[in-house]
Amino acid sequence: MNISLFLVCTIAAIWILVLAIASVQNATLVSLTFLFWESIRMPVGVLLAASFAVGLLGGTLYFGKR
């Protein structure tokens, strides 16, 4: 179990590093549009970080109950 935990933490750290690099390089403002709803304009990095956090939390809640 220690090796699998180490592997998961290593993969998560690499993804966070890639996300940080991508957010620094992409400072353009974008807005998210879904049907008739449109979000405020925010940098691409903030949108990536928010979607990553929501996905990580959702995956933890879904797979953590098993």
Side-chain angles (χ1 to χ4, degrees), residues 10 16-17 19-21 28 31 34 42-43 45 48 50-51 55 63:
T10 303
I16 291 171
L17 181 65
L19 181 66
I21 292 170
T28 58
S31 63
F34 181 72
M42 63 184 85
L48 282 173
S51 62
F63 290 110

Side-chain angles (χ1 to χ4, degrees), residues 6-48:
F6 176 74
L7 183 62
V8 168
C9 289
T10 303
I11 291 171
I14 290 171
W15 272 110
I16 291 171
L17 181 65
V18 168
L19 181 66
I21 292 170
S23 67
V24 168
Q25 291 181 351
N26 294 318
T28 58
L29 296 176
V30 296
S31 63
L32 183 65
T33 305
F34 181 72
L35 297 176
F36 299 109
W37 178 79
E38 186 172 351
S39 70
I40 60 171
R41 295 181 59 82
M42 63 184 85
V44 174
V46 172
L47 188 62
L48 282 173

